[in-house]
Amino acid sequence: MTQRTSTVRATSASPPKNFAGPGAAVPRVDDVRVLLTGLDPLAAAVALALADAGVCLFDVNDRSRVLALDALDGPYPAQTEGLPRELAMRAMLRRRSPRCVPLTAPELFPSAAVGGAVAVHAWSVAGDLLADLREPPVPDVDGHLPTLTVLTDGACVVRWPVTDWAHRPCRSCVTGAARHARAFVREHPLVATAPALSERAQPFRRVTRTVVAGEVAGILLSLALGFDDAAELGEPPAGQCLAGPTLHHGLRRILLPPEPGCLCSLSFMGP
C-alpha cells in the first residue's frame, strides 16, 4: 500500500475548495489554469470545451500516440494520427483560440494556493479487456490541487467526486469501478474478461463522451472560479459525504459503490 492511499483515512469527504485564501480576488476565466494528465478523446473534448469558454492556460500531458480510434470517437483530426497526443492537443487548442497558451510542463504548474488551478486525471481502457487499462501520466505537482478523475471504457464513462491530487482514486479503485460498470451495463459477471462493449452500446459512445465532457468542463469551471453551485453540477455540498463514482452510459447516470477493501475508497464512503 502506498503512502498516498494509506493517508486517506484522515481525509475529509468534502470536495476541496480552490481559493488563494481569505480576501483573495475571485479568479477570472483568463486566470484559470487546467492541468490535464491523460488525453484520450474525452479529456481532449473537455479541453476544447474549456477553451471555448475562454480558458487560455493549459498544461497537457500524454506522450502516447493518437490512434485511429481517437479520431473516430473524439475531436482529434485524422491527420494527427501517429503524433503524440500532447503535441496534437497543443496545436488543436491554439487553433481553437489564438489566446490559448498550451504547454507540456507540469513541473511549472502553479500551487493549489494560486486561485483558478484545477486538474483532470483521465484514465482509459484502450482495448477490450480490463488488462488494457491505461494509467495517465502522474507528474509531481502540489498534492492539494483540486482534481477530477474520470475513466473512459468504451461507451461508458465513470466520474469520481472531486478530491485533492494526493487522494485521487488509485488503480485498484479505478479497476474496481470499471468492473462494476461493465457488470451493470452488460449484466455480465464481475470478471476481468467481460467485453468492453455490446453491439447495442456502440451508438452511445460519442453521445456519452459529449455529455460527460460538458459536465466535467462545467465542474472544473465551478471549482476554478469559486462558484457555490457544485451540488447542481453533481458534487455534494460541503460537509456531506460523497456517494462514490458515477457511471454514465448513453444518457443514463448510475451511482457505483466504492471499491471495498481499498483505503483510497474511504474518501468516497459515508461515515
Side-chain angles (χ1 to χ4, degrees):
M1 185 66 63
T2 65
Q3 180 65 27
R4 177 175 67 82
T5 58
S6 63
T7 58
V8 178
R9 290 185 182 275
T11 303
S12 168
S14 312
K17 294 295 183 181
N18 187 19
F19 296 105
V26 176
R28 302 180 308 170
V29 173
D30 288 354
D31 300 323
V32 172
R33 296 167 171 84
V34 181
L35 171 67
L36 292 108
T37 58
L39 293 170
D40 65 1
L42 173 64
V46 169
L48 295 179
L50 290 169
D52 287 342
V55 176
C56 302
L57 306 174
F58 293 90
D59 196 318
V60 295
N61 299 264
D62 191 343
R63 295 181 180 179
S64 61
R65 303 283 174 172
V66 176
L67 305 175
L69 192 60
D70 293 338
L72 179 65
D73 285 347
Y76 288 101
Q79 61 268 28
T80 63
E81 184 178 344
L83 294 177
R85 281 175 169 173
E86 58 193 33
L87 177 62
M89 193 74 245
R90 292 199 303 268
M92 291 164 62
L93 286 167
R94 290 190 187 100
R95 285 196 298 269
R96 198 76 164 203
S97 170
R99 298 173 60 241
C100 268
V101 184
L103 305 172
T104 299
E107 67 278 4
L108 301 179
F109 203 77
S111 163
V114 176
V118 293
V120 179
H121 198 53
W123 296 69
S124 61
V125 178
D128 290 338
L129 305 179
L130 285 184
D132 299 316
L133 179 65
R134 178 179 293 169
E135 185 172 8
V138 183
D140 185 14
V141 296
D142 185 353
H144 296 93
L145 185 66
T147 302
L148 202 157
T149 302
V150 292
L151 162 68
T152 302
D153 181 11
C156 299
V157 176
V158 180
R159 178 182 65 77
W160 278 260
V162 174
T163 64
D164 55 35
W165 175 262
H167 298 99
R168 65 196 182 278
C170 66
R171 189 179 187 90
S172 176
C173 281
V174 174
T175 303
R179 287 197 184 101
H180 282 294
R182 289 179 175 211
F184 183 92
V185 172
R186 302 160 187 89
E187 298 181 350
H188 199 284
L190 292 176
V191 294
T193 55
L197 284 174
S198 66
E199 291 183 5
R200 191 173 57 179
Q202 283 280 7
F204 292 103
R205 190 197 312 239
R206 296 196 69 160
V207 174
T208 303
R209 295 184 186 181
T210 299
V211 171
V212 179
E215 179 181 84
V216 169
I219 292 171
L220 292 171
L221 279 179
S222 179
L223 282 169
L225 299 178
F227 292 163
D228 192 22
D229 59 355
E232 297 180 12
L233 291 168
E235 301 300 320
Q240 294 188 13
C241 67
L242 305 179
T246 300
L247 166 68
H248 298 252
H249 173 234
L251 298 179
R252 302 178 67 186
R253 300 181 61 198
I254 305 99
L255 286 177
L256 297 178
E259 180 67 3
C262 180
L263 293 179
C264 219
S265 286
L266 295 179
S267 293
F268 313 112
M269 293 182 179

